[in-house]
Amino acid sequence: MTDRAVEDLLRTLAPQVLGVLVRRHGQFYACEDAVQEALLAAATQWPAQGVPDHPRSWLVTVATRRLTDEWRSEHARREREVAVAVRQPAYATVAPPADEEPPSGDDTLRLLFLCCHPALPVSGQVALTLRAVGGLSTAEIARAYLVPEATMSQRIRRAKQRIEATGARFTLPSPADRDERLGAVLRVLYLVFNEGYAASSGEALHRVELTGEAIRLVRELRRLLPDDGEVAGLLALMLLSDSHRAARTGPDGELVPLAEQDRSRWDRAAIDEGIALVTEALTWSAPGPYQVQAAIAAVHAEAPTAATTDWPQIVALYRVLARIAPNPMVTLNQAVAVAMVDGPRAGLALLAPLDADDRTAGHHRLAAVRAHLLELAGDRVAARAAYLAAARATTSLPERRYLEVRAARLAADR
């Protein structure tokens, strides 16, 4: 088995193994550390020695040994057992055999809900989800988010400590809480994908390890919740967005905007799957924000050229999205669509209120969209100033270079 195949297998097994240990021992903090050590051991040994016949059982055994060694070294195992016995009924401590599959496959879902606990900040939810459910190491997550490993380690440690402090159990939330908590899970996976799709800082526009991991986790969530329209919508949105990846950058890594992309390089299989998912979901599910965004992405994907894009349909979909999930970033994108139908001045009018919104005032996206619409309106001087303001505000080097090039072209044409 190749190193990549071993890596994929370990990421699939990570939540299953953690689920077994947490179900058995009830201590998320210690179990998660033990699983990470077992994954590291497997990543080191399996490529050279071969994958064992029962890889999940192997990981559970190694992780359990790590737990036992840790508890013995601290001379605290008896105290922990007493605490668990007082807190839980006797039947809760009975675990299935290490090599027995979970009865309903719900452990990944339980872990997602636990990692997205409302007591955690969003940054902690993202980091803990990638580590505990995605099986990424602290170093991998730190590299993906361009922060020192020590910083990410501290962030994960604080998140695990907060989970322990809340006394959260390894169970699915009640039906009354499920929708709210599922919303947090979807938001975290959406944030992970977006950071990979358009990296907020650094040299690269894409971080494929994040987009790939987000898509993998949403596929798993869809397997567990096949009747949830928003889960299907989010998967469709990710697939349709990621289908452009090969065409979004030029030979030197420069950003290529949607209207200028070579559409023959788009991933047709991902587009077909995404369109099928959102089309099916919208036939039986009330439209939610992710489904509507996926529908917008599908309209773009169906257009053979930028000139044949059905902008009136996109405007109508943005009106729906603005009604069910009002957000300044929605308004930004809506302004571009309106400009394509009713002219750039109409789009600029939609942007005006965003200058007073703390979420967008000074944001490079607002300045970049305004620059684009001013350029379409023929106001080259104002457009150049807005492009330069956007370039100064962004921390993404590909975006900065693109914005500076646009400004330079306008200066050269004067």
Side-chain angles (χ1 to χ4, degrees), residues 68 201 226 329 350 380 388:
T68 302
S201 60
M329 290 302 173
L350 283 179
R380 294 177 174 272
L388 291 175

Side-chain angles (χ1 to χ4, degrees), residues 144-185:
Y145 281 88
L146 300 181
V147 299
E149 185 175 349
T151 300
M152 185 57 68
S153 178
Q154 186 178 45
R155 186 178 299 173
I156 292 171
R157 183 167 58 252
R158 283 198 300 263
K160 291 191 289 186
Q161 289 171 340
R162 187 75 66 86
I163 289 284
E164 292 285 334
T166 64
R169 288 175 172 271
F170 187 58
T171 59
L172 292 173
S174 66
D177 294 336
R178 178 182 144 171
D179 288 345
E180 179 181 355
R181 294 283 294 277
L182 179 59
V185 170

Side-chain angles (χ1 to χ4, degrees), residues 57-235:
S57 178
W58 189 98
L59 290 168
V60 170
T61 300
V62 172
T64 300
R65 287 174 183 163
R66 297 290 194 276
L67 276 177
T68 302
D69 291 344
E70 177 66 20
W71 289 340
R72 283 174 177 166
S73 67
E74 295 177 359
H75 304 287
R77 185 173 186 178
R78 184 179 301 276
E79 287 78 3
R80 286 190 175 93
E81 289 175 347
V82 171
V84 171
V86 170
R87 189 169 67 245
Q88 297 183 359
Y91 66 80
T93 63
V94 178
D99 59 352
E100 179 180 311
E101 292 296 325
S104 61
D106 281 344
D107 277 350
T108 298
L109 189 57
R110 290 187 178 94
L111 281 171
L112 279 167
F113 279 118
L114 188 63
C115 292
C116 297
H117 194 283
L120 298 180
V122 172
S123 61
Q125 293 176 343
V126 169
L128 200 55
T129 297
L130 287 175
R131 179 167 156 119
V133 187
L136 276 66
S137 68
T138 302
E140 287 175 315
I141 303 170
R143 283 197 300 270
Y145 281 88
L146 300 181
V147 299
E149 185 175 349
T151 300
M152 185 57 68
S153 178
Q154 186 178 45
R155 186 178 299 173
I156 292 171
R157 183 167 58 252
R158 283 198 300 263
K160 291 191 289 186
Q161 289 171 340
R162 187 75 66 86
I163 289 284
E164 292 285 334
T166 64
R169 288 175 172 271
F170 187 58
T171 59
L172 292 173
S174 66
D177 294 336
R178 178 182 144 171
D179 288 345
E180 179 181 355
R181 294 283 294 277
L182 179 59
V185 170
L186 295 178
R187 182 177 67 252
V188 163
L189 297 177
Y190 181 64
L191 289 172
V192 171
F193 178 84
N194 278 349
E195 181 59 28
Y197 181 75
S200 58
S201 60
E203 289 278 356
L205 180 66
H206 306 118
R207 292 187 189 141
V208 180
E209 70 276 18
L210 288 179
T211 53
E213 188 59 22
I215 290 172
R216 187 185 74 81
L217 290 175
V218 178
R219 283 193 187 280
E220 180 67 9
L221 194 59
R222 167 124 173 104
R223 183 182 69 80
L224 298 169
L225 298 173
D227 297 327
D228 191 287
E230 277 293 81
V231 173
L234 180 56
L235 179 55

